[in-house]
């Protein structure tokens, strides 16, 4: 009975995974060598997966190459590895892996499949216990999220907002860097405007998930009702909960990862990682046999890899000239920022004018 049940489970699991394989370009021509695998949500998540997918799509269309995506049934390492296997069995030669949930699966898969190139965004392969190893077939990219967060916090305060909120998802290094940068940007703007201590206040919280749910919306609504003017929704679908709360009371939101202006009229700007550019450039490097593997490459303002989308941002006084000015200062290294490797908590940031309330 146990063997029959196990066999049935294996068949059902395989069927479930196969249903998650989604063709896109030239599907009739057979397998796709260029593949994106997602470990959480699909490619239309208006966030990390979508930005990565758009880079793959742009490259595939311009170079007339087959591409497709696979969605893992859940975010567990077991399911992610099984989905990666499915993609490889389907002919994948290059696999885009967006997000930290691929770190543990790739620690195992990189040695198991040396013939495949893996492009890992926002992480490095590790065993889950702190041991990192980047294989010679893995190209890792991390981002200076603190710079993107800085730009968002700076712009929000220069634009006249003094009651800010940061609602992060899970306190991963990337999410924390966004938050730390946001606080430092608000502090920098407060000093520039010669505001008094306590004039700018920030509610700061990690909700512990990356979901759009009633609890997250209720928390954002409570902040808005208590005077918060703009909330940086930083954590996948958490931002959607913030947007829903903002829409009900005509307040403002800062999006994350990609330009989220199309998601809601409440989005005044987005702290972006230029994921589309990262994927597109990496695939070009792969084609030219120049893809740098075995190391983690940190992308920042110097390569236009973190930014605010000023073309779609809706500020009252903060304009493109002011943006270019502060962006140039970051590129020139005139502004030093602290990240998750420098402090363990937002309360350790050396702010003088901004009051930060870390809500547990």
């Amino acid at each position: 009975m146990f063997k029959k049940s196990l066999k049935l489970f294996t068949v059902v699991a395989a069927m479930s995974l196969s249903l998650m394989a989604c063709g896109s370009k030239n599907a009739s021509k057979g397998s796709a060598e260029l593949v994106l695998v997602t470990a959480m949500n699909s490619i239309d998540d208006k966030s990390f997966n979508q930005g990565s997918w758009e880079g793959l799509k742009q490259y595939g269309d311009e170079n007339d190459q087959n591409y497709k995506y696979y969605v893992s049934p859940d975010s567990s390492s077991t399911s992610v590895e099984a989905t990666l296997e499915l993609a490889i069995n389907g002919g994948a030669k290059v696999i885009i892996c967006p997000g930290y949930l691929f770190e543990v699966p790739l620690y195992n898969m990189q040695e198991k499949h040396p013939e495949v190139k893996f492009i890992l965004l926002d992480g490095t392969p590790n065993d889950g216990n702190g041991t990192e190893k980047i294989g010679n077939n893995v190209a890792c990219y991390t981002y200076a999220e603190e710079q993107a967060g800085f730009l968002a916090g700076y712009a929000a305060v220069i634009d006249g907002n003094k009651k800010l909120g940061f609602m992060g998802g899970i306190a991963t290094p990337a999410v924390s860097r966004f938050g730390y940068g946001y606080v430092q940007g608000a502090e920098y703007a407060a000093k520039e405007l010669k505001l008094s201590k306590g004039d700018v206040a920030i509610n700061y919280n990690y909700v512990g998930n990356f979901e759009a749910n009633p609890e997250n919306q209720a928390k954002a609504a409570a902040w808005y009702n208590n005077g918060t003017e703009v909330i940086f929704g930083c954590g996948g679908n958490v931002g959607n909960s913030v947007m829903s709360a903002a829409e009900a009371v005509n307040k403002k939101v800062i999006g994350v990862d990609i330009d989220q202006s199309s998601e809601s009229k409440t989005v005044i700007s987005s702290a972006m990682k230029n994921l589309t550019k990262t994927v597109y450039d990496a695939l070009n490097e792969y084609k030219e046999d120049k893809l740098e593997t075995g190391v983690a490459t940190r992308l920042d303002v110097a390569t236009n890899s973190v930014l605010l989308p000023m073309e779609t941002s809706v500020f009252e006084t903060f304009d493109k000239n002011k943006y270019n000015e502060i962006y140039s200062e970051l590129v020139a290294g005139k502004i030093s920022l602290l990240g998750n490797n420098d402090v363990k908590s937002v309360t350790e940031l050396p702010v003088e004018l901004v009051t930060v309330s870390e809500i547990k």
Side-chain angles (χ1 to χ4, degrees):
M1 181 60 132
F2 175 78
K3 290 183 178 179
K4 289 182 178 180
S5 298
L6 181 60
K7 183 177 181 180
L8 178 61
F9 172 81
T10 302
V11 171
V12 171
M15 290 177 63
S16 298
L17 282 170
S18 66
L19 290 172
M20 295 295 176
C22 305
S24 179
K25 168 88 173 181
N26 298 333
S28 61
K29 294 183 180 180
S31 62
E33 292 190 3
L34 308 180
V35 164
L36 171 80
V37 173
T38 75
M40 184 182 292
N41 304 318
S42 190
I43 57 166
D44 57 353
D45 65 346
K46 311 300 182 184
S47 188
F48 216 86
N49 295 339
Q50 182 169 330
S52 304
W53 171 250
E54 288 173 355
L56 172 57
K57 184 178 186 301
Q58 179 185 350
Y59 178 86
D61 289 346
E62 289 182 6
N63 292 274
D64 195 30
Q65 286 196 251
N66 291 359
Y67 58 88
K68 65 169 62 174
Y69 68 93
Y70 294 75
V71 181
S72 174
D74 61 62
S75 60
S76 69
S77 293
T78 300
S79 292
V80 173
E81 285 192 37
T83 308
L84 290 169
E85 288 283 4
L86 184 68
I88 293 168
N89 290 336
K93 300 300 182 185
V94 182
I95 303 180
I96 313 297
C97 303
Y100 74 99
L101 289 171
F102 286 91
E103 291 183 326
V104 174
L106 284 188
Y107 185 82
N108 303 316
M109 296 292 288
Q110 60 188 353
E111 292 187 0
K112 187 176 181 181
H113 290 285
E115 77 282 5
V116 177
K117 289 290 192 299
F118 298 97
I119 298 173
L120 176 58
L121 306 175
D122 229 20
T124 53
N126 66 77
D127 65 354
N129 295 308
T131 300
E132 293 186 355
K133 182 178 181 181
I134 305 175
N136 291 328
N137 56 334
V138 180
C140 296
Y141 297 95
T142 61
Y143 295 84
E145 289 93 353
E146 66 274 16
Q147 292 179 338
F150 174 90
L151 291 167
Y154 177 84
V157 173
I158 292 293
D159 206 48
N161 301 287
K162 294 184 178 179
K163 306 300 180 184
L164 280 57
F166 174 82
M167 189 167 289
I170 299 171
T172 62
V175 172
S176 296
R177 286 193 293 270
F178 268 126
Y180 297 171
Y182 186 61
V183 171
Q184 291 171 90
E187 172 78 5
Y188 197 89
K191 289 183 177 179
E192 186 174 301
L193 295 173
K194 295 180 169 44
L195 300 179
S196 299
K197 182 175 178 59
D199 280 353
V200 177
I202 302 178
N203 282 337
Y204 194 102
N205 178 244
Y206 302 106
V207 298
N209 59 69
F210 291 116
E211 302 169 5
N213 60 42
E215 292 78 14
N216 294 340
Q217 183 174 337
K219 181 170 290 186
W223 287 7
Y224 284 131
N225 290 333
N226 286 328
T228 299
E229 299 164 283
V230 55
I231 297 176
F232 182 9
C234 181
N237 290 329
V238 171
N240 296 100
S241 294
V242 177
M243 292 173 203
S244 295
E247 288 168 358
V249 290
N250 195 30
K251 292 293 182 75
K252 294 173 280 190
V253 179
I254 293 173
V256 73
D257 289 337
I258 67 171
D259 182 358
Q260 294 188 313
S261 60
S262 63
E263 283 295 282
S264 171
K265 63 181 181 181
T266 65
V267 177
I268 61 171
S269 192
S270 301
M272 288 179 57
K273 300 175 184 178
N274 206 339
L275 298 159
T276 299
K277 179 178 184 295
T278 302
V279 172
Y280 183 89
D281 289 349
L283 291 173
N284 257 331
E285 290 169 4
Y286 168 76
K287 178 179 70 173
E288 297 172 0
D289 199 27
K290 296 179 180 178
L291 184 65
E292 191 171 9
T293 56
V295 296
T297 302
R298 188 173 188 265
L299 303 174
D300 58 16
V301 290
T303 54
N304 197 37
S305 296
V306 291
L307 65 156
L308 300 184
M310 291 303 294
E311 293 75 14
T312 58
S313 294
V314 185
F315 293 114
E316 294 180 13
T317 59
F318 184 75
D319 59 18
K320 188 65 178 290
N321 288 334
K322 191 65 176 174
Y323 173 76
N324 289 340
E325 179 183 313
I326 194 68
Y327 200 92
S328 296
E329 289 185 21
L330 283 171
V331 173
K334 295 180 180 179
I335 302 172
S336 297
L337 300 176
L338 301 179
N340 66 301
N341 291 324
D342 304 303
V343 295
K344 295 180 180 179
S345 169
V346 66
T347 58
E348 296 180 9
L349 292 175
V351 293
E352 300 172 10
L353 303 180
V354 174
T355 300
V356 183
S357 298
E358 186 173 16
I359 302 169
K360 301 296 184 180

